[in-house]
Amino acid sequence: MTSTETTTTPRVAIVTGGSGGIGRAVAKKLAADGMQVLVHYSGGKDRADAVVEEIVAAGGVASAAKADVTDEHEVAELFDEVEKRFGGVDVVVHTAGIMPLSPLVDLKLDEFDRIHRINVRGTFAVDREALRRMRAGGALVNISTSVTKLQQTGYSAYAASKGAVEAMTLILAREMRGRDITVNTVSPGPTDTPLFTDGKPQELIDRIAKQTPAERIGRPEDVAEVAAFLAGPGRWVNGQIIHTNGGAI
């Protein structure tokens, strides 16, 4: 090797919830940017395998792994797996979550607990393991929701869970002082994924779309572009909540 030649090691990313919706778009975008990607899934093995196949067919490197994000031992095993397959981890984009909707007065406490177990405990468990293992130059990207600012009815439990995610993000960024690791949250508005569209009549979706200047709802790729920026070149963006909603708020 001459003095002018350099070698680069591909960065490694975990995308939780990478089997569908926003996670799928993020996994494909990070792979297109040259990262090796571990596509995490909980119950959607076939969908996760399909994402891996798409990435590999496009010339990227990816594999899939299962874990319950609320189980700290399974989360640790997920990170063991990424280190075994790819040698370490540089980026974690945590998209896994659920969004049951109900007016607060009608919501059962068991359902409230389930929302917070997955969205809050799951984020805590994934973030904690990520920050224990992530290499210098790393990036942690959580996913919240613009509903924390929109005050839409029926979203109280979900918005509360994502408010917790935003609070953790802002604190974790400061706890990483001296580690060269950034921590941010992407906060999408209405996005064309099953999580948002399932159960909604088209008339309602069209009405919601009119709230943005572009008069459309977001696409998963819109969110993936922002997550990839934070995971890659956006090193001077840290401890921020990035509202990615087309101007809905």
Side-chain angles (χ1 to χ4, degrees):
M1 179 182 295
T2 68
S3 60
T4 59
E5 292 177 325
T6 60
T7 60
T8 58
T9 301
R11 299 178 80 212
V12 177
I14 296 176
V15 181
T16 68
S19 61
I22 289 171
R24 181 189 195 104
V26 170
K28 291 171 64 177
K29 172 59 177 169
L30 296 182
D33 287 349
M35 297 189 196
Q36 298 176 332
V37 181
L38 186 71
V39 179
H40 158 268
Y41 67 94
S42 177
K45 182 180 187 304
D46 290 344
R47 295 193 305 274
D49 288 343
V51 177
V52 170
E53 289 173 7
E54 288 183 63
I55 290 172
V56 172
V61 178
S63 62
K66 179 180 180 180
D68 176 355
V69 296
T70 71
D71 185 319
E72 62 180 309
H73 303 294
E74 291 194 22
V75 171
E77 289 170 1
L78 179 70
F79 279 81
D80 289 342
E81 197 62 32
V82 76
E83 290 174 348
K84 176 182 176 182
R85 297 184 194 183
F86 299 126
V89 62
D90 304 285
V91 170
V92 175
V93 182
H94 179 55
T95 78
I98 60 172
M99 190 177 68
L101 304 179
S102 170
L104 186 148
V105 295
D106 298 326
L107 186 69
K108 297 183 182 299
L109 279 174
D110 286 348
E111 185 71 346
F112 177 87
D113 290 343
R114 186 173 78 94
I115 294 167
H116 281 255
R117 180 174 179 81
I118 294 173
N119 292 356
V120 181
R121 179 189 171 98
T123 299
F124 183 96
V126 169
D127 285 9
R128 185 178 65 173
E129 201 65 34
L131 296 174
R132 287 174 172 175
R133 310 248 197 158
M134 199 175 286
R135 295 182 286 214
L140 172 60
V141 182
N142 289 319
I143 301 294
S144 180
T145 172
S146 292
V147 172
T148 57
K149 304 297 182 186
L150 291 171
Q151 297 91 42
Q152 291 178 313
T153 58
Y155 285 81
S156 58
Y158 176 67
S161 73
K162 292 301 189 175
V165 170
E166 293 182 3
M168 278 191 279
T169 295
L170 299 178
I171 293 168
L172 287 174
R174 285 143 184 86
E175 291 182 348
M176 289 299 100
R177 180 181 295 275
R179 290 275 309 276
D180 189 23
I181 290 172
T182 61
V183 188
N184 293 286
T185 282
V186 177
S187 180
T191 304
D192 190 8
T193 68
L195 189 68
F196 173 74
T197 60
D198 281 359
K200 291 184 175 69
Q202 188 60 47
E203 180 276 331
L204 175 59
I205 295 172
D206 292 342
R207 191 167 70 246
I208 292 171
K210 292 292 186 182
Q211 296 175 358
T212 69
E215 297 187 337
R216 68 170 176 86
I217 62 173
R219 304 182 184 100
E221 292 76 15
D222 296 325
V223 182
E225 289 284 351
V226 178
F229 173 75
L230 296 172
R235 299 302 303 168
W236 199 234
V237 182
N238 192 20
Q240 303 298 315
I241 313 300
I242 310 298
H243 294 285
T244 309
N245 54 43
I249 58 172

